[in-house]
Amino acid sequence: MDYATFTRTTAERAGLPEETAERIEHATLRTLADRIAGGEAQDLAAQLPGGLQDDLRAPREEAEAFGVDEFVRRVAERGDVGPDEARSGAAAVLTTVREAVTPGEFDDVLSQLPQEYRELVGPMA
């Protein structure tokens, strides 16, 4: 999946303008990089479009432990959007990531997250 398709898919899924969806994409992936181990973030980045890979360059190898509410708060702050847009946008981004990468890679990412994060991804196909 290329960058433009990723952004368009995310925007449609979230019901947001592409410019807003793009900000939320970057905010979501930066926040995900905080939440998962650096090696896993690098593995995920390798399967995403070039315009998104830098967002997954984790500042440290160890994952930070925080829940979904903190995840959404960080996305809202980084994406300069409200909490509702951040939640629906992050869910759209993560669902689009799930479609853009191999199932095994996405499972590896999910394995590092508590069960409560499944609400952001929706049911598995």
Side-chain angles (χ1 to χ4, degrees):
M1 182 179 297
D2 66 24
Y3 184 84
T5 302
F6 190 100
T7 299
R8 187 172 50 255
T9 301
T10 298
E12 289 170 2
R13 187 169 270 138
L16 295 169
E18 283 190 27
E19 305 79 43
T20 304
E22 190 172 24
R23 286 198 324 269
I24 293 172
E25 280 171 8
H26 294 290
T28 299
L29 293 176
R30 284 186 204 116
T31 304
L32 185 61
D34 292 343
R35 186 61 186 82
I36 62 177
E40 189 54 51
Q42 295 303 326
D43 291 347
L44 180 62
Q47 293 191 27
L48 290 176
L52 299 172
Q53 292 176 355
D54 284 346
D55 294 320
L56 287 162
R57 306 275 183 254
R60 60 189 150 295
E61 180 60 31
E62 304 81 32
E64 287 183 62
F66 52 85
V68 169
D69 290 341
E70 175 62 12
F71 188 96
V72 170
R73 188 198 68 72
R74 291 183 188 200
V75 170
E77 183 178 293
R78 289 173 169 163
D80 194 27
V81 294
D84 292 339
E85 281 182 320
R87 184 173 290 276
S88 65
V93 170
L94 293 174
T95 302
T96 305
V97 166
R98 180 176 66 194
E99 293 174 0
V101 304
T102 63
E105 181 55 41
F106 197 74
D107 289 345
D108 289 348
V109 170
L110 286 181
S111 73
Q112 294 196 16
L113 301 172
Q115 187 67 30
E116 68 176 325
Y117 279 79
R118 302 313 189 271
E119 73 184 58
L120 285 179
V121 182
M124 298 303 275

